[in-house]
Amino acid sequence: MTERLAPVLRVRDADAAVAWYARLGFARQWEHRFAPDLPRYVSIARPGMEIHLSEHAGDARPGTLVYLYVDDVDTLAAACGGVEVGSQDWGRDFVVTDPDGNRIRVGTVPA
């Protein structure tokens, strides 16, 4: 097994969240639900990254910030509606907020 980190984000509607994160290149990997009427726990991933989305109220706090390092920040900014990419000392990045108030900062380090 390769070690990895998977931050957990609180979401109200896992299907809506999966669709929103698709613009950042994430796809659903698996889903768990204890019973049909209970909250879902979903894994989404893209190469080298995994995020867990939880409808369970106690799993994470809304409004979390996650930083994603990517190779092509401009393509993802365009996929997010053409948001502006800023230049910082640490690289170029932008921030978007998912439908549940979680902030996702996407950036690339200087070459």
Side-chain angles (χ1 to χ4, degrees), residues 3-64:
E3 292 182 337
R4 63 186 191 269
L5 176 68
V8 179
L9 300 178
R10 173 80 166 90
V11 298
R12 289 182 302 273
D13 179 337
D15 288 334
V18 168
W20 189 89
Y21 281 91
R23 73 180 72 195
L24 295 174
F26 286 90
R28 183 188 313 249
Q29 300 302 294
W30 52 262
E31 176 178 316
H32 173 72
R33 187 180 247 182
F34 286 105
D37 59 335
L38 292 178
R40 290 176 289 171
Y41 192 92
V42 178
S43 169
I44 59 173
R46 58 173 278 151
M49 298 179 197
E50 182 176 0
I51 296 174
H52 292 181
L53 305 172
S54 178
E55 293 177 345
H56 295 268
D59 279 354
R61 293 181 181 196
T64 297

Side-chain angles (χ1 to χ4, degrees), residues 17 57 109:
V109 295

Side-chain angles (χ1 to χ4, degrees), residues 66-96:
V66 175
Y67 200 107
L68 307 177
Y69 287 98
V70 300
D71 292 329
D72 189 351
V73 69
D74 296 302
T75 296
L76 291 182
C80 290
V83 296
E84 184 177 337
V85 178
S87 293
Q88 314 298 336
D89 292 341
W90 58 86
R92 299 178 62 241
D93 65 9
F94 68 91
V95 65
V96 289

